[in-house]
Amino acid sequence: MDKSLFRYIWTHSRRDQLVIFAVVIAQLPFYFWSLELPKRIVNEAISGGAFKNGNQTARALDFGFSLPSFLGGAKVVLFEGIEFERVGFLFALSGLFLALVLVNGAFKYWINVAKGALGERMLRRMRFDLVSIALRFTPDTLKRVKPSETATMIKDEVEPIGGFIGDAFVQPLFLGTQALTAMTFIMVQNVWLGLIAGSIVAVQFAVIPRLRRVQIRLGRQRQLASRQLAGRVAEIVDGMEAVHVHNATRWERAEIGHRLHYLFDLRFRIYKWKFMVKFLNNLLAQITPFLFYAIGGYLALQGRLDIGQLVAVIAAYKDLPPPLKELIDWDQQRLDVQVKYEQVLEQFSPESLIPLEIQDPSAVVEGPLEGPLVIENLHVYDAHGVLIEGLSLKTDLPVQMALIGDGPAPSVLARTLSRRVLGFGGRILFGETDLVRMTDATAGRHIAYAGTDPVLFPGTVRDNLVYGLRRAPQPGSQAEADRRRVLEARRTGNPEDDPTLDWLDYEWVEATGPHDLDARLIEALEIVGMRGDLYQLGLLGYIDAATPEEDIERFILARRKLEERFEGMEKGRLLETFDPERFTRQATVAENILFGAPRSGTASPAALMEDQTFRDALDDTDLTGDLVSIGLRIAQEMTEIFRDLPPGHPLFDQFSFIAADDIPEFDALVRRIASKGERSLKASEKARLIGLTLAYVEPRHRLGLIDAKLEERLLQARARFRELSGEDGPVAFHDPAALNLAVSLKDNLLFGRIAHGVADAERKVMHEIMEVVAELDLKEAVERIGLGYRVGPSGRLLSAAQRIKVNLARCVVRRPELLVIDGATTALGEAEGAKVLKRIVEMRPQASLIAVVRESAADTFDMVIKFDGTDATVEDRPGRRDRTVQEVAAQ
């Protein structure tokens, strides 16, 4: 990006700027005429100047112009006008004035819309350029950059720059010509009044910008402080576990409070300067009319200025302060955004960036990764000193290479070979290809890297596994292009690619493994030891519209078989199935009323009490008062039980509808009701008490609050709620003959609730589910649903081991010719890690594997590099390599 903001703007918006310039110049005559007309209306129509010497009519709407003197000075008449009587003449000029007002308004509307569109396009271009630069950050640069600050700059800090871009050239031209036109008009009417207006304008332009420089300096400090605050808050959120483990919450609160005080002090000083400058600006603007009325009135009394001229001057000056004020504001904004732009450039101008030719999206993927692998005099340094010194080796490919040692060197070499470290001395060659000059397209096809700190993106397991296969929109997947989107992309330097199309490289998938993509993903997860987890995720996942009809029918059959299995007396105690005509005692009161699940959102008691349809169902069946009373009894029991218990006591888990932090609040509520009665309850307090009732399960909480009569009334509320909601409403109702897309697969299969209080009930029920799934050959269908399980931000809904395995599987799915594993299998445990490595080698013996492992796991590799500090010992085992390949081939 250009170091000059104005040069950057002009380079990318020259054509649009010139079009707006032309329109601004074109509107000036209309603006001047709108200033001239009030004088004619006063002098000629109202004062009768056009009807002197007994004339009964006067000519209006005439239009023409005079040639310059060197062309003869003749007057060219384009339209002779129309004769009007006095009243008609007044209305004709007034109508013309109104027409000019509308024309000038239309000009301003077009100019403002054009400026806005220009600013938004340039803002889009700037944000894309910044993201493109961020994508070129080297791994070393990423260590020094805070992601939260970078995101804040791209999202928020360039926003005012985008707002200014549309005004950068157009605003001074538009406002300057308007102000100059008004000043010229005033000077034409009276030189003295023009000099007065010009003097005030000069004072404004000399004093106001100087005062605002302090405001700009404070604003710059405020921006830096806000950015640092955002980064600090992100650090606290990311390190929340350490904050709680080390009881540092008080210190963190104090530190944030100190930052907020500093930010408050800056903002308060900005406010004081801002309103002082505003007061001075308004004062100067109001002095000028005073001088016009006093001096202009005096000149009018002396006959040196007619009333029409004075009225026209005052009307013209009324249009002068706004553009002047906006010009001063523009100058302040210019200085402010220039500072912001420089700060953004400073953040996005690191010492080293990945060269553009390396990241060229149109680069051709070079052929297979050829050997030998040659490392010549490799030196790697960082801020702490030497990490690897003078390593040299040469080996044929494929190779299974183990990197061992206690220091950072094994990991550094792994990262270097996978292009995660670019600043090194020496050379690394794959055949004739230098690793440093290898394009991302080639490296992304042939080399994969898996570390101990995997990066997962929000989305499903499937989305993360196929992330490395999204290489380009597939031919034939392009629907009718959105022409407007493509044109806007071209105008703003954005890519024309549509991310909603199918980007998966199916040719690569078919050439390197199973043609069924889901089967390939499941195979990869099996290799890394996560297929069992995938099955569990499938049970917790949701069926969607893309699930094959055959699978849906088999899941319904599985539900029936499970119901048959649980019909026996012993197994029947484990599960209570749903019945549209029966109250489910093992479910909450809310679940019994809904008899379904929300299609979106949550079914928490608080959310339900905000739903008008749900409240109407309770009111129509006269249940509101009873549920409030039950909630009050629950609150009384809970406050009595928990009053003296510490947070974290096991009883809080059993009575999970009330949190330890809520006990004091409910205790105060119970005491107030005891003294003032239930009539003192507010609507919000009634809703909270009903919320306690909605979370109540009789077999679990055992307070004896629900009898057969109340169960019958709750069934009536169920029927009423379904009637009010409708079948296509926000709740998906349970149906014994169909699956519910709003609940998990496990809940669909059980179609009921596991009994509370039965020993080992959960394990026994899951055993029955597994047997039925296996009997109906549904395991793969469950796993496919598991691929659709959402992993959450950064994969936080998965365990640490699962995140590592998903990242490993993502690499395996790509079938790279070189897989670099930087301690990922070690983090899984010695036994599990060894199994994963063995399965990876067995899957593709013709591919290379370089892994950072413990010394005890290095025996199976055909080359071992052992580091002792910065020095390395290379042990080549060609016999082992040949033997491994032969063993795998035999298998």
Side-chain angles (χ1 to χ4, degrees), residues 642-846:
F642 294 134
R643 185 176 293 122
D644 299 323
L645 293 180
H649 194 279
L651 280 177
F652 283 107
D653 293 331
Q654 182 176 353
F655 297 93
S656 58
F657 47 54
I658 191 165
D661 293 339
D662 296 332
I663 293 299
E665 185 177 347
F666 278 109
D667 192 22
L669 181 63
V670 168
R671 293 177 187 275
R672 177 162 60 81
I673 295 175
S675 61
K676 297 183 179 180
E678 291 188 24
R679 292 185 179 181
S680 64
L681 286 171
K682 301 175 184 177
S684 59
E685 293 171 337
K686 290 182 179 180
R688 293 205 68 183
L689 291 175
I690 293 177
L692 294 181
T693 307
L694 294 177
Y696 182 76
V697 181
E698 183 63 57
R700 178 180 181 182
H701 302 125
R702 301 179 182 180
L703 298 180
L705 300 178
I706 297 181
D707 55 20
K709 185 176 180 181
L710 182 59
E711 289 179 359
E712 188 63 32
R713 295 178 62 199
L714 289 171
L715 290 176
Q716 294 174 7
R718 174 193 294 179
R720 180 58 179 161
F721 177 74
R722 186 161 189 162
E723 179 183 350
L724 293 174
S725 296
E727 295 300 326
D728 297 325
V731 174
F733 297 106
H734 293 312
D735 184 349
L739 297 183
N740 191 331
L741 303 186
V743 300
S744 68
L745 175 61
K746 174 185 171 183
D747 286 343
N748 267 296
L749 293 176
L750 293 179
F751 198 64
R753 288 289 176 264
I754 298 175
H756 296 91
V758 178
D760 214 14
E762 179 77 23
R763 186 191 63 79
K764 294 176 181 177
V765 168
M766 292 304 298
H767 177 72
E768 297 296 329
I769 291 177
M770 291 183 66
E771 285 193 350
V772 170
V773 166
E775 178 184 338
L776 296 178
D777 195 22
L778 277 170
K779 182 179 179 181
E780 187 173 331
V782 174
E783 291 171 340
R784 289 177 187 271
I785 293 174
L787 292 174
Y789 182 84
R790 306 199 72 82
V791 302
S794 301
R796 290 173 185 165
L797 296 182
L798 301 178
S799 68
Q802 287 173 336
R803 290 195 293 272
I804 290 174
K805 290 178 179 179
V806 170
N807 187 41
L808 264 174
R810 177 166 57 191
C811 296
V812 170
V813 164
R814 286 171 45 197
R815 298 291 201 275
E817 293 179 57
L818 170 59
L819 174 58
V820 180
I821 301 178
D822 184 7
T825 54
T826 303
L828 300 177
E830 188 170 355
E832 178 68 14
K835 293 178 182 178
V836 171
L837 288 173
K838 182 174 182 295
R839 287 193 290 263
I840 290 175
V841 173
E842 289 176 349
M843 176 192 70
R844 295 195 74 209
Q846 74 279 14

Side-chain angles (χ1 to χ4, degrees), residues 375-421:
I375 301 177
E376 296 180 352
N377 195 27
L378 179 66
H379 290 76
V380 183
Y381 307 86
D382 70 357
H384 304 289
V386 180
L387 300 175
I388 298 176
E389 185 173 17
L391 175 63
S392 297
L393 65 85
K394 181 178 181 180
T395 180
D396 293 329
L397 299 181
V399 62
Q400 276 76 52
M401 181 188 299
L403 308 179
I404 61 177
D406 296 330
S411 178
V412 171
L413 180 57
R415 292 175 60 81
T416 303
L417 291 172
S418 57
R419 301 176 79 250
R420 304 311 309 143
V421 174

Side-chain angles (χ1 to χ4, degrees), residues 537-738:
L537 296 178
L539 292 178
L540 297 176
Y542 291 79
I543 298 168
D544 56 30
T547 304
E549 187 65 32
E550 178 185 354
D551 288 348
I552 292 178
E553 293 176 358
R554 290 197 294 161
F555 282 133
I556 295 175
L557 177 60
R559 173 194 292 177
R560 293 175 186 150
K561 285 188 172 292
L562 280 171
E563 187 176 359
E564 294 172 1
R565 284 173 173 252
F566 287 117
E567 281 181 355
M569 183 176 298
E570 178 63 26
K571 293 180 179 178
R573 294 173 56 246
L574 298 176
L575 182 77
E576 182 180 8
T577 57
F578 292 141
D579 188 329
E581 306 299 329
R582 180 171 53 81
F583 185 86
T584 307
R585 292 180 58 79
Q586 300 293 344
T588 65
V589 172
E591 289 172 332
N592 271 285
I593 296 175
L594 289 181
F595 198 69
R599 300 182 193 274
S600 62
T602 177
S604 66
L608 289 175
M609 290 310 298
E610 292 177 0
D611 184 75
Q612 185 62 47
T613 303
F614 188 83
R615 295 200 303 270
D616 288 344
L618 299 183
D619 291 339
D620 292 350
T621 53
D622 297 324
L623 270 172
T624 302
D626 292 333
L627 297 186
V628 170
S629 298
I630 294 174
L632 178 58
R633 290 178 60 187
I634 293 174
Q636 291 170 341
E637 293 284 351
M638 295 302 100
T639 55
E640 184 67 28
I641 295 172
F642 294 134
R643 185 176 293 122
D644 299 323
L645 293 180
H649 194 279
L651 280 177
F652 283 107
D653 293 331
Q654 182 176 353
F655 297 93
S656 58
F657 47 54
I658 191 165
D661 293 339
D662 296 332
I663 293 299
E665 185 177 347
F666 278 109
D667 192 22
L669 181 63
V670 168
R671 293 177 187 275
R672 177 162 60 81
I673 295 175
S675 61
K676 297 183 179 180
E678 291 188 24
R679 292 185 179 181
S680 64
L681 286 171
K682 301 175 184 177
S684 59
E685 293 171 337
K686 290 182 179 180
R688 293 205 68 183
L689 291 175
I690 293 177
L692 294 181
T693 307
L694 294 177
Y696 182 76
V697 181
E698 183 63 57
R700 178 180 181 182
H701 302 125
R702 301 179 182 180
L703 298 180
L705 300 178
I706 297 181
D707 55 20
K709 185 176 180 181
L710 182 59
E711 289 179 359
E712 188 63 32
R713 295 178 62 199
L714 289 171
L715 290 176
Q716 294 174 7
R718 174 193 294 179
R720 180 58 179 161
F721 177 74
R722 186 161 189 162
E723 179 183 350
L724 293 174
S725 296
E727 295 300 326
D728 297 325
V731 174
F733 297 106
H734 293 312
D735 184 349

Side-chain angles (χ1 to χ4, degrees), residues 529-539 786 799 801-802 805:
M530 195 180 160
R531 190 164 185 177
D533 292 338
L534 182 65
Y535 178 82
Q536 297 299 326
L537 296 178
L539 292 178
S799 68
Q802 287 173 336
K805 290 178 179 179

Side-chain angles (χ1 to χ4, degrees), residues 100-121:
L100 288 174
V101 169
L102 294 175
V103 170
N104 284 322
F107 271 115
K108 288 182 179 180
Y109 171 79
W110 188 93
I111 291 170
N112 286 327
V113 170
K115 287 193 306 179
L118 173 61
E120 288 301 317
R121 289 191 181 104

